[in-house]
Amino acid sequence: MFEIPIRMERVLHRLKELAHCSAGKRGVTRLSFTSEFRQAGLLVRRWMKEAGMVVRVDALGNIIGHYPHHRRGGPAFLIGSHLDSVMEGGAFDGTLGVVAALEVVQALFESGVQTALPLEVVVFCDEEGARFHTTLLGSRAMAGTLLGEDLNARDARGITLADALREFGLDPLAFRSAKRDPEQIAGYMELHIEQGPILENEHLPCGVVSGIAGAVRGRFQVEGLAGHAGTVPMDARRDALVGAAEIILAVEEAARKSPSTVATVGNLQVFPGSSNVIPGRVEGTLDVRSLDDEERRRVFRQICQRAEGIAENGSLSFCCEVVLDTPAVQCSPRLMAAAAEAITHHGYPPLFIPSGAGHDALAMADLTEVGMIFVRCRGGVSHHPEEYVEPEDIEIGVSVFLEAVLRAMDSHPKASSTGQTEEAEVP
Ligand SMILES: [Zn+2]
């Protein structure tokens, strides 16, 4: 496979430019359909045009760039990531994948390489769900799994997604037009920061994602009896927070005993929440994830059974409502092989790691086969201003990604052969 040079100064410059599109001073805050989000989108569109691509924006605001005159046609291979961030997030989550995808197409174009399939860059509008509390909006629209009711999701100021789209100059009623025809898509690949410590612990710059964990999210409630903190004796209390504390320990124990599962109580509200009142009610969230759906559901059931037992012992009641249950997605063996070969070719052992975090690839799996490459990030820290990726790792990651994308396209049954062409011209 011929060497195609990438331009690191361009990659780093673009990452920096995108990081400036932020609402806050601390880290990067770029919620979907805000002015800083628009600014970032304009940059991406400009870079796409500079790279000689034709750009369009779909009904959800996903930005799609492609080369118009592919020699043989065939289904398009999609690469990209998301442009939105969480509140006070970092400069690499999502944007690294966006910039990497742009660099891949631009480097191929500048090297005069005609790819085996048409190549498209897709930049998704809302992966994090930080604004409307519902995730993967852009990729679900593209996969055709976004629902009409998702348009009614509201942000903290009460603005619905439909209103935000309209204000952004888009037509929310046309959201179904963002859906792509699976026959016309040959796969989706994404480069993303790991958001965990495994690569760092293994001293590897990048790794192959084996799949994206399924997740079950529940809202639970422990009900006891509120009372005066000074007058109710200890043995007469029905303290909901004491029960909840024991339940949280049981959550941890259940997940620790399962090899593939992680479980978290990330939010807790205590009622009435006063220093001199025994807590009468506690509400909390339970998040259980695993690449193994059966195991994940088993652990979730086990936690609920244990919690009911704990509640009974304390004369409390426990209930848990499941608000989200998304199955795990296994990455495509073909795309994993392409990524593993590219990593090996760059001189590293290919490490296969499951993703505990959700990504656009999760939604795209409903449309086409998906693959991901993770890049090491410092301390495994993400969704935080201190999110950081070493430039050396970015360089290796983007080079590996470029090669993986070429290999993935070459191995597609409808591929024509990759080669140099006279047709391409640097704009
Ligand atoms: Zn991300």
Side-chain angles (χ1 to χ4, degrees):
M1 189 156 281
F2 35 81
E3 295 299 327
I4 294 150
I6 59 161
R7 280 177 48 193
M8 264 308 281
E9 74 284 355
R10 184 164 61 196
V11 169
L12 295 178
H13 172 76
R14 286 176 176 174
L15 283 168
K16 204 186 252 177
E17 291 273 289
L18 285 177
H20 285 145
C21 305
S22 172
K25 290 257 179 296
R26 240 176 76 82
V28 175
T29 299
R30 188 170 51 244
L31 304 194
S32 304
F33 313 119
T34 55
S35 62
E36 51 280 4
F37 179 83
R38 185 189 296 276
Q39 196 190 341
L42 288 173
L43 280 176
V44 166
R45 286 156 72 173
R46 195 183 84 207
W47 296 332
M48 282 177 166
K49 284 180 188 149
E50 280 171 12
M53 308 184 88
V54 171
V55 185
R56 71 182 177 91
V57 177
D58 72 14
L60 256 281
N62 296 317
I63 305 169
I64 300 150
H66 78 283
Y67 287 116
H69 304 301
H70 193 267
R71 199 169 31 174
R72 294 191 199 158
F77 195 80
L78 274 41
I79 55 175
S81 193
H82 60 96
L83 207 54
D84 63 314
S85 81
V86 295
M87 297 289 288
E88 300 193 343
F92 301 91
D93 184 347
T95 43
L96 178 62
V98 169
V99 170
L102 285 168
E103 186 57 30
V104 165
V105 285
Q106 194 155 8
L108 289 169
F109 188 70
E110 287 167 350
S111 302
V113 175
Q114 178 77 52
T115 53
L117 291 168
L119 188 57
E120 279 185 25
V121 176
V122 287
V123 177
F124 293 112
C125 65
D126 190 328
E127 189 267 352
E128 303 283 6
R131 179 165 177 193
F132 297 100
H133 311 289
T134 169
T135 60
L136 309 174
L137 293 175
S139 42
R140 281 198 282 141
M142 199 172 279
T145 55
L146 192 77
L147 304 171
E149 64 201 57
D150 288 312
L151 297 172
N152 300 327
R154 285 177 192 274
D155 70 4
R157 290 191 297 149
I159 298 168
T160 64
L161 171 60
D163 287 340
L165 288 169
R166 235 174 259 124
E167 204 181 310
F168 206 68
L170 300 164
D171 177 10
L173 296 177
F175 77 95
R176 285 192 183 87
S177 67
K179 180 185 179 335
R180 304 287 296 265
D181 175 3
E183 292 294 311
Q184 299 297 317
I185 307 292
Y188 171 73
M189 262 186 125
E190 176 170 357
L191 185 78
H192 202 281
I193 58 167
E194 184 200 349
Q195 303 182 272
I198 295 171
L199 288 169
E200 195 171 73
N201 291 344
E202 298 292 329
H203 307 288
L204 291 171
C206 53
V208 185
V209 179
S210 54
I212 302 171
V216 58
R217 214 171 289 170
R219 281 207 67 83
F220 68 83
Q221 185 171 314
V222 183
E223 190 96 49
L225 190 66
H228 196 290
T231 59
V232 184
M234 294 310 287
D235 58 1
R237 293 186 179 202
R238 293 166 59 201
D239 186 328
L241 183 56
V242 171
E246 238 184 287
I247 288 166
I248 293 166
L249 291 176
V251 168
E252 202 212 4
E253 193 191 333
R256 274 183 187 273
K257 280 186 181 156
S258 162
S260 64
T261 310
V262 290
T264 310
V265 174
N267 182 283
L268 213 60
Q269 283 171 293
V270 182
F271 300 95
S274 176
S275 62
N276 61 350
V277 181
I278 299 162
R281 183 164 50 98
V282 170
E283 291 176 7
T285 58
L286 173 61
D287 179 300
V288 183
R289 301 184 194 210
S290 172
L291 207 53
D292 180 341
D293 285 327
E294 221 167 284
E295 175 67 0
R296 171 173 61 85
R297 295 201 175 105
R298 187 194 66 76
V299 170
F300 186 79
R301 275 196 308 272
Q302 189 190 35
I303 288 171
C304 289
Q305 279 164 8
R306 276 282 289 136
E308 279 159 17
I310 290 165
E312 214 174 293
N313 285 342
S315 301
L316 308 164
S317 71
F318 170 86
C319 64
C320 185
E321 181 203 357
V322 174
V323 290
L324 180 104
D325 188 337
T326 49
V329 160
Q330 311 296 329
C331 286
S332 142
R334 190 174 69 79
L335 301 187
M336 282 197 286
E341 283 160 15
I343 290 174
T344 307
H345 189 229
H346 278 73
Y348 301 96
L351 181 71
F352 291 82
I353 31 184
S355 172
H359 295 287
D360 287 304
L362 189 69
M364 290 298 278
D366 286 320
L367 178 72
T368 185
E369 51 185 329
V370 298
M372 288 187 78
I373 293 174
F374 273 167
V375 178
R376 165 169 60 189
C377 60
R378 189 174 60 196
V381 172
S382 73
H383 286 188
H384 191 277
E386 283 182 15
E387 186 179 283
Y388 182 72
V389 186
E390 293 287 349
E392 296 75 39
D393 287 357
I394 294 177
E395 184 161 15
I396 296 164
V398 177
S399 302
V400 163
F401 186 55
L402 188 151
E403 187 178 326
V405 169
L406 285 182
R407 287 178 183 273
M409 286 191 285
D410 281 343
S411 66
H412 192 273
K414 288 189 179 158
S416 52
S417 59
T418 302
Q420 311 280 141
T421 172
E422 309 292 284
E423 289 163 33
E425 261 173 50
V426 180

